Amino acid sequence: MSSFSTHVLDAARGLPATGVPVVLSRGDGTVLASGTTDDDGRWRAPDTAALTAGVLHRITFEAPSPFFPEVSIAFRPERTDRHHHVPLLLSPYSYSTYLGS
C-alpha cells in the first residue's frame, strides 16, 4: 500500500505555510482524504487513502497567494510499494513542486 504526504513552504517568508487546506483525490474527482497543514506546513494522508499505481491522482491546495488562490498538482504513481511525498514551494507569484522522499 502506498502512503502520501506533502509539505507546503512559503518561500517569500521563508517559513512553513500553516493551516493550508489540502485535498487528495483521484483523477475522476473521488476524494481520498482532506485536511490542513500543521504548524510545520506538513500534511499526511491517512493510511486509508491508498494511491493506485498507474491511475491519475491530484493534490489540491487552497493557496494563501494573491495570484494563485488554488494550486492543483496532477500525478500518476508508478508504484504502490513506496511512500509518495509531493512538496509545494509557494510564493505570491510562483510555485514549484517535485517528487520528494
Side-chain angles (χ1 to χ4, degrees), residues 63-97:
S65 166
F67 190 73
F68 296 110
E70 179 180 280
V71 174
S72 184
I73 301 165
F75 63 98
R76 190 181 321 268
E78 296 174 350
R79 301 170 28 191
T80 58
D81 62 344
R82 64 163 290 188
H83 176 73
H84 290 82
H85 182 71
V86 179
L88 176 65
L89 305 173
L90 184 65
S91 70
Y93 300 101
S94 69
Y95 66 88
S96 65
T97 188

Side-chain angles (χ1 to χ4, degrees), residues 22-35 43 48-49 57-58:
V22 178
V23 177
L24 175 65
S25 60
R26 286 198 184 93
D28 65 5
T30 302
V31 173
L32 299 175
S34 63
W43 178 78
T48 56
H57 292 75
R58 190 174 312 279

